[in-house]
């Protein structure tokens, strides 16, 4: 749950820092302001010059196509991981919870497996997650690292990129 807490805290800090008015001292006991975010897209602020999302179409293990640059209004959390990566395994339940909680507000978590064995390694691994921990977001296989290179590389696992509702990487 640390990932969920960290992401939500970071997003709330972004929103909190954008206000022109000082935050009340006892903010937790007050009703949310009238300008409170209504969807996950409202929580994303663009840096001065964000890069556009890579112009790639991902093929999920379920056969679905996801064109990263063609999802206006959605927030995509592109998470690079591998079955052999202990921190990756640890964060999967948090990503499941994040998708469950914020999916209806416009968030899509996309898991990109960098396992070189591809489906042979990933399918049995995903089968171990059942019930409330069953992976509820699309999984993409990237054994050759093509998606990884489209994002400019992955410097450690897990690594996550956020594509904002404007189609740019934040």
């Amino acid at each position: 749950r640390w990932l969920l807490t960290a992401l939500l805290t970071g997003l709330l800090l972004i929103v909190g820092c954008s206000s022109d008015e000082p935050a009340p001292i006892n903010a937790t006991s007050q009703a949310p302001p009238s300008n409170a975010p209504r969807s996950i897209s409202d929580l994303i602020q663009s840096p001065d010059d964000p890069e556009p999302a890579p112009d790639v179409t991902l093929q999920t293990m379920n056969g679905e196509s996801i064109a990263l640059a063609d999802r206006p209004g959605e927030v995509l959390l592109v998470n690079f991981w591998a079955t052999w990566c202990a921190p990756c395994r640890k964060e999967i339940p948090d990503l499941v919870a994040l998708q469950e909680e914020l999916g209806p507000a416009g968030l899509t978590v996309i898991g990109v497996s960098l396992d070189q064995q591809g489906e042979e390694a990933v399918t049995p691994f995903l089968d171990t997650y059942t019930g409330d921990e069953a992976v509820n977001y699309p999984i993409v296989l990237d054994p050759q690292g093509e998606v990884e290179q489209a994002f400019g590389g992955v410097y450690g696992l897990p690594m996550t990129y956020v594509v904002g509702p404007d189609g740019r990487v934040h």
Side-chain angles (χ1 to χ4, degrees), residues 28-166:
T28 57
S29 65
Q30 296 189 8
S34 61
N35 64 348
R38 291 179 187 27
S39 74
I40 189 69
S41 298
D42 294 337
L43 296 174
I44 301 296
Q45 289 187 341
S46 296
D48 291 338
D49 192 20
E51 294 288 323
D55 190 14
V56 295
T57 299
L58 309 176
Q59 295 297 318
T60 70
M61 290 182 67
N62 295 346
E64 177 187 353
S65 293
I66 300 173
L68 291 184
D70 192 26
R71 310 272 297 210
E74 292 182 54
V75 175
L76 307 176
L77 204 68
V78 183
N79 175 256
F80 290 89
W81 66 284
T83 59
W84 48 262
C85 166
C88 300
R89 292 191 308 265
K90 186 171 175 79
E91 79 176 356
I92 287 175
D94 294 326
L95 293 172
V96 167
L98 195 60
Q99 179 64 49
E100 178 73 26
E101 184 177 338
L102 297 177
L107 174 76
T108 300
V109 176
I110 302 170
V112 181
S113 168
L114 297 180
D115 285 279
Q116 292 181 353
Q117 300 83 11
E119 194 170 345
E120 181 181 321
V122 176
T123 298
F125 175 80
L126 292 176
D127 288 344
T128 65
Y129 289 89
T130 59
D132 289 343
E133 290 189 346
V135 175
N136 58 354
Y137 52 87
I139 300 293
V140 173
L141 302 175
D142 190 29
Q144 305 303 321
E146 295 166 3
V147 178
E148 172 190 354
Q149 291 308 309
F151 272 90
V154 171
Y155 306 102
L157 290 179
M159 186 165 179
T160 302
Y161 291 90
V162 176
V163 178
D166 59 355

Side-chain angles (χ1 to χ4, degrees), residues 11-29:
L11 290 173
L12 291 174
L13 283 174
I14 290 170
V15 171
C17 292
S18 66
S19 175
D20 291 337
E21 297 180 21
I25 293 173
N26 192 4
T28 57
S29 65

